[in-house]
Amino acid sequence: MESVLECKNLTKSYLKKTALDSINLELPKGSIVGLLGPNGSGKTTLLKLAAGLLTPTNGEITIEGLKPGVETKEIVAYQPDKVYLNDWMNAEDLIKMMADFYANFSKDKAFDMIGHLNIDVKQKLKSMSKGTKEKVQLILTMSREVPLYMLDEPIGGVDPAARDYILNTIINNYREDATVLISTHLISDIENVLNHIVFLKNGKIVRTGDVDDVREETGMSIDQLFREEFKC
């Protein structure tokens, strides 16, 4: 299995709390991977480490063999769980800005997706709904041509119709040899698009593997298994 992201004894601690505890992980290329766990399990910390926004306390994490930093900014598209875009900008400004920042950003793809949503490219973000802002942010992320996309709770807080749009956008706009890592606790909404799963609990990996293999081995859906694994 060729891996795009690898963790070796990766640990991240904040003062007295250990967010990730000596995890070992390899994510396969060409997969949609669910990073699954309840709030506080370490999902966002792992994504921020991979994005180079945090540094490990111990161990290491690599993207295509490189430690997160300047070089990996070009090969990772990361979307945080909150809208980070400037409210005073419009969609056209944002698309042009992303194209200036990243050589691998496709303006054509971005304008095409924005057009399908019937969003006025001149409309400022501050006058858009929260759901529309999140869609614009996702479009900007998925308009890059990179080996690894990382999306933190992309379907949290949006209505079911918006979830369907978001999932379809993810599925239809990444290269087949690329990997999409999706962090979420909404398993039932996302299970049918996943090829691979990682269950995180209290900063430790408690299960990982191919979705079909896990279903066959356990006789459960991923949603059922998640509820069983994480029940109080």
Side-chain angles (χ1 to χ4, degrees), residues 167-203:
L167 292 176
N168 287 332
T169 300
I170 292 166
I171 294 164
N172 295 326
N173 288 283
Y174 83 104
R175 298 196 324 260
E176 286 189 3
D177 59 342
T179 297
V180 183
L181 179 59
I182 305 173
S183 160
T184 188
H185 60 280
L186 300 170
I187 318 304
S188 60
D189 292 288
I190 206 169
E191 175 168 353
N192 65 335
V193 307
L194 300 178
N195 318 109
H196 200 87
I197 56 153
V198 178
F199 277 10
L200 262 182
K201 186 177 186 179
N202 298 324

mmCIF file of all heavy atoms in Angstrom, residues 167-203:
data_model
loop_
_atom_site.group_PDB
_atom_site.id
_atom_site.type_symbol
_atom_site.label_atom_id
_atom_site.label_comp_id
_atom_site.label_asym_id
_atom_site.label_seq_id
_atom_site.Cartn_x
_atom_site.Cartn_y
_atom_site.Cartn_z
ATOM 1 N N LEU A 167 -20.868 16.632 -0.128
ATOM 2 C CA LEU A 167 -20.309 15.302 -0.386
ATOM 3 C C LEU A 167 -20.127 15.064 -1.885
ATOM 4 O O LEU A 167 -19.103 14.514 -2.312
ATOM 5 C CB LEU A 167 -21.195 14.225 0.231
ATOM 6 C CG LEU A 167 -21.217 14.204 1.763
ATOM 7 C CD1 LEU A 167 -22.204 13.164 2.272
ATOM 8 C CD2 LEU A 167 -19.834 13.932 2.342
ATOM 9 N N ASN A 168 -21.102 15.487 -2.687
ATOM 10 C CA ASN A 168 -20.969 15.333 -4.142
ATOM 11 C C ASN A 168 -19.812 16.159 -4.684
ATOM 12 O O ASN A 168 -19.098 15.727 -5.598
ATOM 13 C CB ASN A 168 -22.278 15.725 -4.849
ATOM 14 C CG ASN A 168 -23.367 14.692 -4.651
ATOM 15 O OD1 ASN A 168 -23.083 13.516 -4.475
ATOM 16 N ND2 ASN A 168 -24.615 15.121 -4.656
ATOM 17 N N THR A 169 -19.631 17.352 -4.130
ATOM 18 C CA THR A 169 -18.516 18.205 -4.557
ATOM 19 C C THR A 169 -17.183 17.533 -4.255
ATOM 20 O O THR A 169 -16.253 17.538 -5.079
ATOM 21 C CB THR A 169 -18.584 19.579 -3.847
ATOM 22 O OG1 THR A 169 -19.819 20.211 -4.191
ATOM 23 C CG2 THR A 169 -17.423 20.477 -4.268
ATOM 24 N N ILE A 170 -17.092 16.937 -3.073
ATOM 25 C CA ILE A 170 -15.853 16.234 -2.691
ATOM 26 C C ILE A 170 -15.583 15.072 -3.640
ATOM 27 O O ILE A 170 -14.479 14.921 -4.182
ATOM 28 C CB ILE A 170 -15.951 15.738 -1.235
ATOM 29 C CG1 ILE A 170 -15.967 16.921 -0.256
ATOM 30 C CG2 ILE A 170 -14.784 14.801 -0.897
ATOM 31 C CD1 ILE A 170 -16.395 16.558 1.153
ATOM 32 N N ILE A 171 -16.608 14.248 -3.860
ATOM 33 C CA ILE A 171 -16.440 13.038 -4.675
ATOM 34 C C ILE A 171 -16.066 13.382 -6.113
ATOM 35 O O ILE A 171 -15.221 12.724 -6.725
ATOM 36 C CB ILE A 171 -17.733 12.198 -4.662
ATOM 37 C CG1 ILE A 171 -17.993 11.655 -3.260
ATOM 38 C CG2 ILE A 171 -17.664 11.046 -5.652
ATOM 39 C CD1 ILE A 171 -19.406 11.156 -3.055
ATOM 40 N N ASN A 172 -16.683 14.425 -6.657
ATOM 41 C CA ASN A 172 -16.527 14.725 -8.084
ATOM 42 C C ASN A 172 -15.338 15.614 -8.415
ATOM 43 O O ASN A 172 -15.065 15.856 -9.597
ATOM 44 C CB ASN A 172 -17.807 15.386 -8.612
ATOM 45 C CG ASN A 172 -18.993 14.451 -8.567
ATOM 46 O OD1 ASN A 172 -18.839 13.250 -8.766
ATOM 47 N ND2 ASN A 172 -20.173 14.982 -8.295
ATOM 48 N N ASN A 173 -14.628 16.102 -7.399
ATOM 49 C CA ASN A 173 -13.597 17.103 -7.695
ATOM 50 C C ASN A 173 -12.229 16.788 -7.117
ATOM 51 O O ASN A 173 -11.430 17.687 -6.883
ATOM 52 C CB ASN A 173 -14.065 18.480 -7.209
ATOM 53 C CG ASN A 173 -15.177 19.026 -8.077
ATOM 54 O OD1 ASN A 173 -14.951 19.505 -9.177
ATOM 55 N ND2 ASN A 173 -16.398 18.901 -7.593
ATOM 56 N N TYR A 174 -11.943 15.513 -6.929
ATOM 57 C CA TYR A 174 -10.573 15.178 -6.559
ATOM 58 C C TYR A 174 -10.047 14.124 -7.523
ATOM 59 O O TYR A 174 -10.811 13.333 -8.063
ATOM 60 C CB TYR A 174 -10.497 14.700 -5.100
ATOM 61 C CG TYR A 174 -10.841 13.247 -4.865
ATOM 62 C CD1 TYR A 174 -9.839 12.304 -4.619
ATOM 63 C CD2 TYR A 174 -12.156 12.799 -4.891
ATOM 64 C CE1 TYR A 174 -10.153 10.976 -4.406
ATOM 65 C CE2 TYR A 174 -12.470 11.479 -4.667
ATOM 66 C CZ TYR A 174 -11.462 10.563 -4.432
ATOM 67 O OH TYR A 174 -11.771 9.244 -4.230
ATOM 68 N N ARG A 175 -8.738 14.156 -7.763
ATOM 69 C CA ARG A 175 -8.118 13.175 -8.650
ATOM 70 C C ARG A 175 -8.189 11.785 -8.038
ATOM 71 O O ARG A 175 -8.131 11.629 -6.824
ATOM 72 C CB ARG A 175 -6.648 13.525 -8.883
ATOM 73 C CG ARG A 175 -6.384 14.838 -9.560
ATOM 74 C CD ARG A 175 -4.950 14.902 -10.081
ATOM 75 N NE ARG A 175 -4.007 14.235 -9.187
ATOM 76 C CZ ARG A 175 -3.233 14.874 -8.316
ATOM 77 N NH1 ARG A 175 -3.327 16.178 -8.184
ATOM 78 N NH2 ARG A 175 -2.371 14.215 -7.561
ATOM 79 N N GLU A 176 -8.280 10.773 -8.881
ATOM 80 C CA GLU A 176 -8.427 9.408 -8.381
ATOM 81 C C GLU A 176 -7.210 8.930 -7.599
ATOM 82 O O GLU A 176 -7.314 8.031 -6.779
ATOM 83 C CB GLU A 176 -8.718 8.448 -9.539
ATOM 84 C CG GLU A 176 -10.143 8.571 -10.064
ATOM 85 C CD GLU A 176 -10.502 7.486 -11.053
ATOM 86 O OE1 GLU A 176 -9.666 6.598 -11.286
ATOM 87 O OE2 GLU A 176 -11.626 7.533 -11.591
ATOM 88 N N ASP A 177 -6.052 9.528 -7.867
ATOM 89 C CA ASP A 177 -4.844 9.111 -7.142
ATOM 90 C C ASP A 177 -4.617 9.960 -5.892
ATOM 91 O O ASP A 177 -3.630 9.797 -5.185
ATOM 92 C CB ASP A 177 -3.603 9.170 -8.051
ATOM 93 C CG ASP A 177 -3.345 10.569 -8.606
ATOM 94 O OD1 ASP A 177 -4.279 11.403 -8.578
ATOM 95 O OD2 ASP A 177 -2.217 10.827 -9.074
ATOM 96 N N ALA A 178 -5.548 10.881 -5.620
ATOM 97 C CA ALA A 178 -5.429 11.735 -4.433
ATOM 98 C C ALA A 178 -6.185 11.105 -3.265
ATOM 99 O O ALA A 178 -6.990 10.193 -3.437
ATOM 100 C CB ALA A 178 -5.991 13.124 -4.727
ATOM 101 N N THR A 179 -5.901 11.607 -2.064
ATOM 102 C CA THR A 179 -6.564 11.134 -0.850
ATOM 103 C C THR A 179 -7.330 12.294 -0.231
ATOM 104 O O THR A 179 -6.825 13.411 -0.160
ATOM 105 C CB THR A 179 -5.521 10.592 0.155
ATOM 106 O OG1 THR A 179 -4.873 9.464 -0.426
ATOM 107 C CG2 THR A 179 -6.176 10.177 1.465
ATOM 108 N N VAL A 180 -8.552 12.001 0.212
ATOM 109 C CA VAL A 180 -9.364 12.987 0.925
ATOM 110 C C VAL A 180 -9.560 12.467 2.341
ATOM 111 O O VAL A 180 -10.081 11.373 2.544
ATOM 112 C CB VAL A 180 -10.736 13.197 0.258
ATOM 113 C CG1 VAL A 180 -11.516 14.287 0.995
ATOM 114 C CG2 VAL A 180 -10.585 13.561 -1.204
ATOM 115 N N LEU A 181 -9.106 13.246 3.314
ATOM 116 C CA LEU A 181 -9.250 12.894 4.730
ATOM 117 C C LEU A 181 -10.334 13.788 5.325
ATOM 118 O O LEU A 181 -10.185 15.004 5.383
ATOM 119 C CB LEU A 181 -7.918 13.095 5.455
ATOM 120 C CG LEU A 181 -7.872 12.792 6.958
ATOM 121 C CD1 LEU A 181 -8.265 11.356 7.250
ATOM 122 C CD2 LEU A 181 -6.481 13.089 7.516
ATOM 123 N N ILE A 182 -11.441 13.170 5.734
ATOM 124 C CA ILE A 182 -12.593 13.913 6.235
ATOM 125 C C ILE A 182 -12.794 13.611 7.715
ATOM 126 O O ILE A 182 -13.052 12.468 8.090
ATOM 127 C CB ILE A 182 -13.878 13.543 5.473
ATOM 128 C CG1 ILE A 182 -13.689 13.739 3.962
ATOM 129 C CG2 ILE A 182 -15.058 14.369 5.972
ATOM 130 C CD1 ILE A 182 -14.866 13.240 3.139
ATOM 131 N N SER A 183 -12.680 14.637 8.533
ATOM 132 C CA SER A 183 -12.941 14.494 9.963
ATOM 133 C C SER A 183 -14.408 14.781 10.233
ATOM 134 O O SER A 183 -14.934 15.800 9.789
ATOM 135 C CB SER A 183 -12.066 15.490 10.736
ATOM 136 O OG SER A 183 -12.591 15.722 12.024
ATOM 137 N N THR A 184 -15.076 13.870 10.947
ATOM 138 C CA THR A 184 -16.483 14.095 11.278
ATOM 139 C C THR A 184 -16.936 13.166 12.390
ATOM 140 O O THR A 184 -16.289 12.155 12.669
ATOM 141 C CB THR A 184 -17.393 13.887 10.034
ATOM 142 O OG1 THR A 184 -18.712 14.296 10.344
ATOM 143 C CG2 THR A 184 -17.401 12.438 9.590
ATOM 144 N N HIS A 185 -18.050 13.538 13.026
ATOM 145 C CA HIS A 185 -18.711 12.613 13.944
ATOM 146 C C HIS A 185 -20.092 12.242 13.407
ATOM 147 O O HIS A 185 -20.838 11.519 14.043
ATOM 148 C CB HIS A 185 -18.828 13.238 15.353
ATOM 149 C CG HIS A 185 -19.607 14.503 15.399
ATOM 150 N ND1 HIS A 185 -19.060 15.718 15.045
ATOM 151 C CD2 HIS A 185 -20.892 14.754 15.718
ATOM 152 C CE1 HIS A 185 -19.977 16.665 15.161
ATOM 153 N NE2 HIS A 185 -21.103 16.104 15.574
ATOM 154 N N LEU A 186 -20.419 12.728 12.199
ATOM 155 C CA LEU A 186 -21.703 12.435 11.555
ATOM 156 C C LEU A 186 -21.522 11.252 10.598
ATOM 157 O O LEU A 186 -21.472 11.408 9.384
ATOM 158 C CB LEU A 186 -22.214 13.671 10.811
ATOM 159 C CG LEU A 186 -22.456 14.901 11.685
ATOM 160 C CD1 LEU A 186 -22.711 16.134 10.822
ATOM 161 C CD2 LEU A 186 -23.624 14.669 12.630
ATOM 162 N N ILE A 187 -21.406 10.058 11.153
ATOM 163 C CA ILE A 187 -20.997 8.889 10.381
ATOM 164 C C ILE A 187 -22.045 8.482 9.346
ATOM 165 O O ILE A 187 -21.704 8.186 8.198
ATOM 166 C CB ILE A 187 -20.706 7.678 11.305
ATOM 167 C CG1 ILE A 187 -19.926 8.110 12.541
ATOM 168 C CG2 ILE A 187 -19.982 6.588 10.533
ATOM 169 C CD1 ILE A 187 -18.639 8.818 12.287
ATOM 170 N N SER A 188 -23.321 8.464 9.739
ATOM 171 C CA SER A 188 -24.352 7.948 8.832
ATOM 172 C C SER A 188 -24.436 8.778 7.548
ATOM 173 O O SER A 188 -24.751 8.249 6.483
ATOM 174 C CB SER A 188 -25.713 7.914 9.528
ATOM 175 O OG SER A 188 -26.098 9.209 9.949
ATOM 176 N N ASP A 189 -24.141 10.083 7.638
ATOM 177 C CA ASP A 189 -24.218 10.953 6.462
ATOM 178 C C ASP A 189 -23.086 10.714 5.475
ATOM 179 O O ASP A 189 -23.199 11.050 4.306
ATOM 180 C CB ASP A 189 -24.177 12.431 6.892
ATOM 181 C CG ASP A 189 -25.420 12.843 7.645
ATOM 182 O OD1 ASP A 189 -26.471 12.958 7.003
ATOM 183 O OD2 ASP A 189 -25.356 13.010 8.873
ATOM 184 N N ILE A 190 -22.012 10.153 5.946
ATOM 185 C CA ILE A 190 -20.801 10.110 5.132
ATOM 186 C C ILE A 190 -20.326 8.694 4.811
ATOM 187 O O ILE A 190 -19.497 8.490 3.934
ATOM 188 C CB ILE A 190 -19.696 10.913 5.863
ATOM 189 C CG1 ILE A 190 -18.676 11.450 4.888
ATOM 190 C CG2 ILE A 190 -19.036 10.102 6.965
ATOM 191 C CD1 ILE A 190 -17.729 12.447 5.493
ATOM 192 N N GLU A 191 -20.916 7.708 5.486
ATOM 193 C CA GLU A 191 -20.414 6.332 5.363
ATOM 194 C C GLU A 191 -20.337 5.841 3.924
ATOM 195 O O GLU A 191 -19.376 5.194 3.531
ATOM 196 C CB GLU A 191 -21.278 5.379 6.196
ATOM 197 C CG GLU A 191 -20.882 3.924 6.019
ATOM 198 C CD GLU A 191 -21.505 2.980 7.027
ATOM 199 O OE1 GLU A 191 -22.169 3.435 7.987
ATOM 200 O OE2 GLU A 191 -21.328 1.774 6.858
ATOM 201 N N ASN A 192 -21.357 6.172 3.117
ATOM 202 C CA ASN A 192 -21.405 5.601 1.766
ATOM 203 C C ASN A 192 -20.347 6.151 0.820
ATOM 204 O O ASN A 192 -20.179 5.627 -0.281
ATOM 205 C CB ASN A 192 -22.806 5.772 1.153
ATOM 206 C CG ASN A 192 -23.168 7.222 0.919
ATOM 207 O OD1 ASN A 192 -22.655 8.109 1.582
ATOM 208 N ND2 ASN A 192 -24.060 7.471 -0.020
ATOM 209 N N VAL A 193 -19.606 7.189 1.208
ATOM 210 C CA VAL A 193 -18.544 7.713 0.329
ATOM 211 C C VAL A 193 -17.150 7.274 0.778
ATOM 212 O O VAL A 193 -16.164 7.530 0.092
ATOM 213 C CB VAL A 193 -18.574 9.267 0.220
ATOM 214 C CG1 VAL A 193 -19.953 9.740 -0.172
ATOM 215 C CG2 VAL A 193 -18.094 9.944 1.487
ATOM 216 N N LEU A 194 -17.056 6.603 1.926
ATOM 217 C CA LEU A 194 -15.740 6.276 2.491
ATOM 218 C C LEU A 194 -15.187 4.961 1.953
ATOM 219 O O LEU A 194 -15.915 3.996 1.770
ATOM 220 C CB LEU A 194 -15.831 6.180 4.023
ATOM 221 C CG LEU A 194 -16.290 7.430 4.774
ATOM 222 C CD1 LEU A 194 -16.372 7.123 6.266
ATOM 223 C CD2 LEU A 194 -15.355 8.598 4.520
ATOM 224 N N ASN A 195 -13.866 4.927 1.725
ATOM 225 C CA ASN A 195 -13.171 3.676 1.396
ATOM 226 C C ASN A 195 -12.392 3.140 2.589
ATOM 227 O O ASN A 195 -12.073 1.959 2.657
ATOM 228 C CB ASN A 195 -12.137 3.859 0.270
ATOM 229 C CG ASN A 195 -12.600 4.729 -0.863
ATOM 230 O OD1 ASN A 195 -12.102 5.834 -0.992
ATOM 231 N ND2 ASN A 195 -13.536 4.258 -1.657
ATOM 232 N N HIS A 196 -12.039 4.051 3.512
ATOM 233 C CA HIS A 196 -11.109 3.706 4.586
ATOM 234 C C HIS A 196 -11.532 4.477 5.833
ATOM 235 O O HIS A 196 -12.066 5.581 5.719
ATOM 236 C CB HIS A 196 -9.688 4.118 4.163
ATOM 237 C CG HIS A 196 -8.588 3.440 4.916
ATOM 238 N ND1 HIS A 196 -8.076 2.221 4.545
ATOM 239 C CD2 HIS A 196 -7.887 3.805 6.026
ATOM 240 C CE1 HIS A 196 -7.104 1.867 5.393
ATOM 241 N NE2 HIS A 196 -6.975 2.819 6.300
ATOM 242 N N ILE A 197 -11.310 3.895 7.007
ATOM 243 C CA ILE A 197 -11.680 4.595 8.247
ATOM 244 C C ILE A 197 -10.531 4.603 9.248
ATOM 245 O O ILE A 197 -9.684 3.709 9.254
ATOM 246 C CB ILE A 197 -12.914 3.964 8.935
ATOM 247 C CG1 ILE A 197 -12.681 2.468 9.223
ATOM 248 C CG2 ILE A 197 -14.168 4.194 8.137
ATOM 249 C CD1 ILE A 197 -13.467 1.925 10.378
ATOM 250 N N VAL A 198 -10.551 5.619 10.093
ATOM 251 C CA VAL A 198 -9.669 5.689 11.262
ATOM 252 C C VAL A 198 -10.553 6.116 12.431
ATOM 253 O O VAL A 198 -11.174 7.183 12.382
ATOM 254 C CB VAL A 198 -8.540 6.729 11.065
ATOM 255 C CG1 VAL A 198 -7.666 6.804 12.324
ATOM 256 C CG2 VAL A 198 -7.697 6.404 9.838
ATOM 257 N N PHE A 199 -10.652 5.271 13.455
ATOM 258 C CA PHE A 199 -11.395 5.616 14.671
ATOM 259 C C PHE A 199 -10.415 6.155 15.705
ATOM 260 O O PHE A 199 -9.450 5.471 16.059
ATOM 261 C CB PHE A 199 -12.074 4.368 15.270
ATOM 262 C CG PHE A 199 -13.389 3.999 14.653
ATOM 263 C CD1 PHE A 199 -13.848 4.606 13.491
ATOM 264 C CD2 PHE A 199 -14.193 3.025 15.238
ATOM 265 C CE1 PHE A 199 -15.069 4.260 12.923
ATOM 266 C CE2 PHE A 199 -15.409 2.660 14.684
ATOM 267 C CZ PHE A 199 -15.848 3.278 13.523
ATOM 268 N N LEU A 200 -10.674 7.368 16.173
ATOM 269 C CA LEU A 200 -9.853 7.985 17.218
ATOM 270 C C LEU A 200 -10.659 8.087 18.508
ATOM 271 O O LEU A 200 -11.819 8.509 18.485
ATOM 272 C CB LEU A 200 -9.432 9.398 16.798
ATOM 273 C CG LEU A 200 -8.051 9.633 16.194
ATOM 274 C CD1 LEU A 200 -7.874 11.119 15.921
ATOM 275 C CD2 LEU A 200 -6.918 9.136 17.056
ATOM 276 N N LYS A 201 -10.032 7.710 19.615
ATOM 277 C CA LYS A 201 -10.697 7.782 20.912
ATOM 278 C C LYS A 201 -9.672 8.185 21.960
ATOM 279 O O LYS A 201 -8.654 7.509 22.135
ATOM 280 C CB LYS A 201 -11.293 6.410 21.259
ATOM 281 C CG LYS A 201 -12.135 6.366 22.516
ATOM 282 C CD LYS A 201 -12.718 4.960 22.671
ATOM 283 C CE LYS A 201 -13.680 4.868 23.815
ATOM 284 N NZ LYS A 201 -14.253 3.489 23.930
ATOM 285 N N ASN A 202 -9.918 9.309 22.610
ATOM 286 C CA ASN A 202 -9.003 9.807 23.650
ATOM 287 C C ASN A 202 -7.549 9.861 23.163
ATOM 288 O O ASN A 202 -6.615 9.507 23.887
ATOM 289 C CB ASN A 202 -9.091 8.937 24.908
ATOM 290 C CG ASN A 202 -10.466 8.969 25.531
ATOM 291 O OD1 ASN A 202 -11.139 9.993 25.525
ATOM 292 N ND2 ASN A 202 -10.922 7.831 26.047
ATOM 293 N N GLY A 203 -7.385 10.325 21.921
ATOM 294 C CA GLY A 203 -6.040 10.507 21.386
ATOM 295 C C GLY A 203 -5.350 9.250 20.905
ATOM 296 O O GLY A 203 -4.172 9.285 20.541
#
